[in-house]
Amino acid sequence: MKNQNRRWAWWMLVLLFWTVSGVVLAQAAGERPELTAGHKKMLDWCGQYTITGKTFTSPLGPAHPVKGTWIAGPILNGFAIEGSYSFEGKGPNGETQGREIISYDPETDKYHYIFWGDTGYVDQAPFTQQGAVASWQTTSVMNGKKYHFRGTETDLPDGAGFVRREDYSTDGQTWQPLHESRFTIVTPAGDEQALIRVQQEWSRAEVAGDVRTVDRILADEYVLTLSDGTLLPKAAYLRDIQSEDTRSIAMSVEGTKVQLYGDIALAKGIVKWTEPGGKKHEDLFSEVWQKRDGRWQCLATHESEVEQTVDSAKLSDEMKKLAVFAGEWTYEGEQTAPPVPGLPYGGAGRFHGTSTCRFVLGGRFLEQRIEDHNPSGTTTSVGLEGYDPRAENYVSSAFVSDGSRDISTETVSADGCTWTSQSTMTTSTGQTVPVRSVTTISPDGMRQTSTTEVSPDGGKTWKHWYKDESHKVKE
């Protein structure tokens, strides 16, 4: 599997049809790029929406109503947004849940979305935003036939939401309606993003031992419930932060979703933290917040350890081949100076990191989260990989926190031990770079080696970039 043990988190492309999805790699050398106006426009789309609409009868399926919820928030330091869908009954393509990512390319002034549904359906396309209207057009083979798709999203007045419409055509000239839905804002992004900023401030303050800041953020009645059932009231929690023997030495909060009920908010997401001794944890959390005197305070937190085990009985034969990657890995390696300008991770030198993989969306995709320490600093990533039955290969993509992204196809040897990848990386400046790699897995599935090359001339010649080796820590 392509560079599973290091850089490029993966996302799958299968069929093109509807909507948008979700995420990461990180900071290149030097200062972090500034958000452009196009990136800031994406932040305006964040929030919680209700979905009401319908799918029309077409060769792709019968008509049915569409009703559900869309919640979107920023990731990768604001260089992309991640959304989640839940449908009552089924969505336009039969899914009941979905995830998405939207990114922006300042070089082309275009946005790009990818959507993953729990039926295995995947959709991706670039789109443009002109005033209040976003538009896109794609072509795909579905059910053995070629279809053309075009769509628009039109903003409603006063920020009330937007209307999404999509048509299909078999010849590219005569168009028929496919689906139409209204997305009505329930929770504007303002309060949601303010709460997320406070949450990020909290995590930074905890690692720094800044008790005064944490004390301000937590309500006097705050209680933390740990995975093992331990209850920590505010006073005990603050004492832990004061001591270097007990406070976390690293912490990050990811994928936060917020639901507002007046001045009360429910926040859910993933928190990763490291004990003073170096042991790493990944917990799901749910929090209750209240807005008091114009600022958010946390009333209670409940954490539960992320379950990493895989129910192999639910996996398709193709996805079972990816099961060898599930679990936690550590890796280290060495890279050359970037063979092509604009690549992330800085100059020549050693690197090391951790990679955590688990199956999501009913086992249709394998998610990977990476923390990479390299000459340019620390890079984080999260991604998905799935199987494309039409192309009979594995397809993935990654979104990078500096604005880069990567899309690849992968094949596996008959014994499942060798994964070969061909991909195209788009750097944060819009340059496209061919990348290829070979990953070999040991017979016991506990070790991986990977070699990666890039091409400076569009695939004519190749230059070595980096090599690494991974060791599995746990399932």
Side-chain angles (χ1 to χ4, degrees):
M1 134 182 262
K2 171 183 63 73
N3 303 350
Q4 181 276 339
N5 42 351
R6 194 192 183 189
R7 310 282 172 80
W8 305 113
W10 345 272
W11 304 90
M12 176 183 170
L13 299 157
V14 183
L15 308 171
L16 302 174
F17 187 168
W18 189 61
T19 294
V20 282
S21 178
V23 314
V24 181
L25 268 168
Q27 238 164 283
E31 298 182 359
R32 189 174 67 198
E34 294 295 325
L35 296 179
T36 67
H39 291 111
K40 293 176 181 178
K41 175 64 177 178
M42 293 191 300
L43 300 181
D44 294 338
W45 302 333
C46 295
Q48 179 178 339
Y49 297 75
T50 59
I51 307 170
T52 54
K54 59 183 177 180
T55 293
F56 299 95
T57 298
S58 74
L60 303 176
H64 63 269
V66 174
K67 186 176 182 181
T69 301
W70 181 52
I71 302 175
I75 59 172
L76 306 179
N77 302 317
F79 285 97
I81 65 173
E82 179 181 14
S84 62
Y85 286 84
S86 60
F87 295 101
E88 299 176 21
K90 60 182 180 179
N93 301 291
E95 63 278 290
T96 58
Q97 298 181 59
R99 294 173 61 178
E100 70 178 352
I101 273 192
I102 305 174
S103 64
Y104 175 70
D105 183 349
E107 279 294 306
T108 62
D109 193 27
K110 288 185 178 181
Y111 297 85
H112 189 276
Y113 74 78
I114 299 183
F115 169 84
W116 300 264
D118 58 1
T119 61
Y121 173 78
V122 181
D123 181 28
Q124 70 86 30
F127 66 94
T128 58
Q129 179 80 31
Q130 298 292 331
V133 180
S135 59
W136 64 92
Q137 188 161 331
T138 62
T139 301
S140 182
V141 177
M142 302 185 69
N143 300 329
K145 295 182 179 180
K146 184 177 181 180
Y147 289 91
H148 305 270
F149 301 96
R150 68 181 185 187
T152 60
E153 284 184 0
T154 304
D155 293 341
L156 296 170
D158 301 322
F162 56 91
V163 174
R164 175 179 294 154
R165 298 181 176 90
E166 190 161 23
D167 302 326
Y168 75 95
S169 172
T170 57
D171 58 11
Q173 298 180 2
T174 304
W175 296 88
Q176 299 293 331
L178 188 59
H179 67 81
E180 178 176 324
S181 297
R182 179 187 178 104
F183 288 63
T184 304
I185 189 75
V186 176
T187 303
D191 272 340
E192 177 188 359
Q193 299 314 313
L195 191 153
I196 291 175
R197 285 194 293 270
V198 173
Q199 194 180 60
Q200 297 291 339
E201 181 185 10
W202 174 7
S203 66
R204 291 192 296 269
E206 178 167 339
V207 172
D210 183 355
V211 177
R212 179 176 296 182
T213 295
V214 178
D215 181 41
R216 170 176 54 81
I217 292 172
L218 304 184
D220 290 340
E221 63 268 36
Y222 175 81
V223 175
L224 166 64
T225 304
L226 299 174
S227 293
D228 61 3
T230 301
L231 299 178
L232 282 182
K234 179 178 179 178
Y237 183 58
L238 293 179
R239 284 197 298 270
D240 281 352
I241 295 174
Q242 285 179 309
S243 172
E244 292 183 357
D245 295 331
T246 53
R247 74 167 176 260
S248 303
I249 61 174
M251 177 176 289
S252 64
V253 180
E254 301 175 0
T256 300
K257 300 293 187 297
V258 177
Q259 293 177 286
L260 291 180
Y261 306 92
D263 62 354
I264 298 293
L266 176 64
K268 297 181 179 181
I270 295 176
V271 58
K272 295 181 177 182
W273 54 283
T274 305
E275 293 181 4
K279 184 178 180 180
K280 296 180 182 292
H281 299 266
E282 182 176 354
D283 293 346
L284 298 172
F285 71 83
S286 58
E287 293 174 340
V288 180
W289 294 71
Q290 185 174 25
K291 201 170 190 180
R292 295 175 173 176
D293 298 325
R295 61 185 178 90
W296 288 103
Q297 284 192 304
C298 190
L299 307 182
T301 302
H302 182 276
E303 295 181 356
S304 58
E305 189 171 359
V306 173
E307 180 59 56
Q308 300 292 348
T309 58
V310 176
D311 184 358
S312 59
K314 295 182 179 180
L315 300 178
S316 66
D317 290 342
E318 291 80 12
M319 294 303 292
K320 286 179 181 178
K321 294 179 181 179
L322 292 176
V324 66
F325 297 107
E328 183 178 325
W329 299 74
T330 61
Y331 63 85
E332 59 182 13
E334 186 167 4
Q335 65 190 34
T336 67
V340 177
L343 294 174
Y345 313 117
R350 301 286 300 178
F351 61 83
H352 68 278
T354 58
S355 170
T356 304
C357 300
R358 60 176 179 147
F359 287 95
V360 297
L361 292 174
R364 296 282 189 173
F365 301 94
L366 183 68
E367 177 189 77
Q368 180 190 34
R369 294 176 182 267
I370 296 174
E371 182 176 295
D372 186 84
H373 304 279
N374 51 68
S376 71
T378 299
T379 293
T380 58
S381 69
V382 59
L384 296 169
E385 179 162 8
Y387 183 74
D388 182 348
R390 177 171 54 87
E392 296 184 345
N393 58 21
Y394 294 84
V395 191
S396 61
S397 85
F399 287 85
V400 186
S401 61
D402 69 347
S404 304
R405 63 182 184 273
D406 179 75
I407 296 176
S408 69
T409 59
E410 302 177 73
T411 56
V412 59
S413 60
D415 62 4
C417 291
T418 302
W419 293 75
T420 303
S421 167
Q422 296 280 347
S423 67
T424 298
M425 176 189 176
T426 303
T427 69
S428 59
T429 59
Q431 181 182 6
T432 58
V433 181
V435 180
R436 70 183 184 186
S437 67
V438 177
T439 298
T440 303
I441 306 168
S442 63
D444 62 1
M446 299 299 292
R447 183 173 62 89
Q448 302 177 47
T449 58
S450 178
T451 301
T452 299
E453 300 175 313
V454 298
S455 175
D457 52 14
K460 296 178 182 179
T461 60
W462 294 85
K463 293 185 177 181
H464 176 77
W465 187 11
Y466 64 82
K467 182 176 182 178
D468 53 47
E469 182 172 311
S470 297
H471 296 270
K472 180 172 281 191
V473 178
K474 62 180 181 179
E475 295 292 338

